[in-house]
Amino acid sequence: MEKEESNEKDLNYPLKLWVLTLFIAAILYSLWSACKDDWSDVPGLLYGLIIVAFWELCLGFIFGLPALIVVWSLYRGYILLTKSLLTDYVITVLLSIISVFASFKLLLGGFNFEELAIVYMIAIPIAAVVLYLRQKRKQHKIIAVSLTTINPE
């Protein structure tokens, strides 16, 4: 039964969401820090943005791995219980946001909503929307290709 469901549902969705969230959060945090900086030294600002984005990616990768393992395991468990892809995605996004809360609770000893946590909580839904739209676009492409390959006689 899992193979039939896997034909319709993407079993790697949590991994794709996690990777895209890392990149979006790095970009958002770089832009957030750029808005607070002085814009008189543009080359220095761009260099700083690249450094901030790089460190954000590294930290997100290291501290996000446990959350990815938990979310991916739960996703594999409830994917067979739900009928809708959208339901799967919403549950995964909510679990990912809860994992951000849990990570900050474990790492910082409390719910410390610094800029980094807020950026990740914003980046998760943005990444989910991007992935959802990408999947819908692929489905429409497949339908369009299948319609054009029908041989009208």
Side-chain angles (χ1 to χ4, degrees), residues 29-97:
Y29 192 73
S30 293
L31 292 175
W32 185 311
S33 63
C35 289
K36 296 187 298 185
D37 289 342
D38 182 25
W39 283 73
S40 62
D41 181 25
V42 175
L45 181 67
L46 291 176
Y47 177 73
L49 289 177
I50 292 169
I51 295 298
V52 167
F54 174 74
W55 282 111
E56 182 70 26
L57 277 172
C58 293
L59 289 174
F61 180 80
I62 292 168
F63 292 121
L65 278 176
L68 172 66
I69 292 168
V70 169
V71 170
W72 202 349
S73 322
L74 292 172
Y75 180 79
R76 293 293 297 238
Y78 67 76
I79 192 172
L80 299 174
L81 301 175
T82 60
K83 300 285 184 200
S84 169
L85 285 174
L86 187 59
T87 304
D88 294 338
Y89 295 163
V90 168
I91 292 171
T92 305
V93 167
L94 291 175
L95 285 173
S96 299
I97 291 173

Side-chain angles (χ1 to χ4, degrees), residues 122-151:
I122 292 170
I124 291 170
I126 291 172
V129 169
V130 168
L131 288 174
Y132 184 75
L133 292 175
R134 184 174 173 253
Q135 182 183 12
K136 286 296 182 186
R137 185 172 161 229
K138 277 184 181 179
Q139 287 175 351
H140 289 295
K141 252 186 186 176
I142 290 170
I143 291 171
V145 167
S146 65
L147 288 176
T148 57
T149 58
I150 296 175
N151 193 4

